[in-house]
Structures are given as structure tokens and as C-alpha cells.
Amino acid sequence: MPHRELLDPQGKTVGNNLKNLEIHSVEDVRIGKFIELTLGAKSEEEAREKVEKACKKLLANLIMEQYEYELKEV
Amino acid sequence: MPHRELLDPQGKTVGNNLKNLEIHSVEDVRIGKFIELTLGAKSEEEAREKVEKACKKLLANLIMEQYEYELKEV
């Protein structure tokens, strides 16, 4: 998700368009990415390390975005 | 999120790039949007109606994507 302090022009546009659809009282819209990663790992620890590395090195732009994740066994 | 049956070229590219970062055993990557909507409503029922309408009419492309949402009081 974009940091709270930053403008989110895409969210702003969507917010304005919701008004045109008669959906009122929308106070804020913020748009980020949702990424589903299916990966193999020997332990929860290893999975967490891989996901952290993927987020920091590729998936999130840490200057503009924050990230959070959830591990789920499948 | 893009439907399971559809190719997700953006996810595919990210998957390939993870290999270059020495993150192995990645089986699948799928990329969708995460939207945070802050809105006023008199009841949970009204909030749900608004969110459903927003998803169906604007936020999701139902031909290519599926959506799910969670309501949270703030």
C-alpha cells in the first residue's frame, strides 16, 4: 500500500468516480497490490525469510509503499 | 485477483525475476489489487451494499477478476 503521507492519485480518481455511481460518503480510497506467492519451503522460518527477501528486493518499493504479509500452509 | 484459469503475465514476470534474486521453489505468483475504502454508513448492511455496488460497477472487472472483501469498523 502507498504510505499514508503520500498522495494516491489512482485512489483519488476512483473516489471521484464512486460519487458518479451514487455511492456517497466515501472518505478515502487507497489502492495497492495484492500478491499471492506459492512457494516451497522446509519450515515456516524459511518461508518467512523468502517472503521478506522477495518483498524487500522486488515486490515493494519501500520509498513509497509499506507491505505486510501472511503465511498460510497449503 | 485474476481468475485461476487466466494467465497472469505480470505474475509470471515477477516469478522469473525472483529466480534471479536466488529465491527458489516459487511455484506461482498472482498479482491483483488491494483496495482500502473508508466510507460512512449507518449500518453494516448499508456498508456491505455500498461495497458490493462499488466492486461490481467499478472496482473489479468481473470477466477477468474475482473479488472478496472484509468490513471493518473504524
Side-chain angles (χ1 to χ4, degrees), chain A residues 1 4 10 13-15 17-18 21-41 46 50-51 53-54 57-59, chain B residues 1 4 10 13-15 17-18 21-41 46 50-51 53-54 57-59:
Chain A
M1 291 294 282
R4 281 267 150 234
Q10 199 189 358
T13 305
V14 165
N17 275 292
L18 288 172
L21 290 173
E22 310 284 320
I23 300 172
H24 299 292
S25 314
V26 175
E27 287 158 30
D28 194 25
V29 185
R30 299 193 71 82
I31 302 185
K33 273 175 281 185
F34 184 90
I35 301 176
E36 208 178 88
L37 212 60
T38 310
L39 54 77
E46 192 193 327
K50 283 184 173 184
V51 171
K53 190 173 168 191
K57 296 220 168 182
L58 183 67
L59 304 177
Chain B
M1 292 294 280
R4 280 265 150 234
Q10 200 189 357
T13 305
V14 165
N17 276 293
L18 288 173
L21 290 173
E22 309 285 318
I23 301 173
H24 299 291
S25 313
V26 174
E27 287 158 30
D28 194 25
V29 184
R30 300 193 71 82
I31 303 186
K33 273 174 281 185
F34 184 91
I35 302 175
E36 206 178 271
L37 212 61
T38 310
L39 55 75
E46 192 193 328
K50 282 184 174 185
V51 171
K53 190 172 167 190
K57 296 219 169 182
L58 182 66
L59 304 178

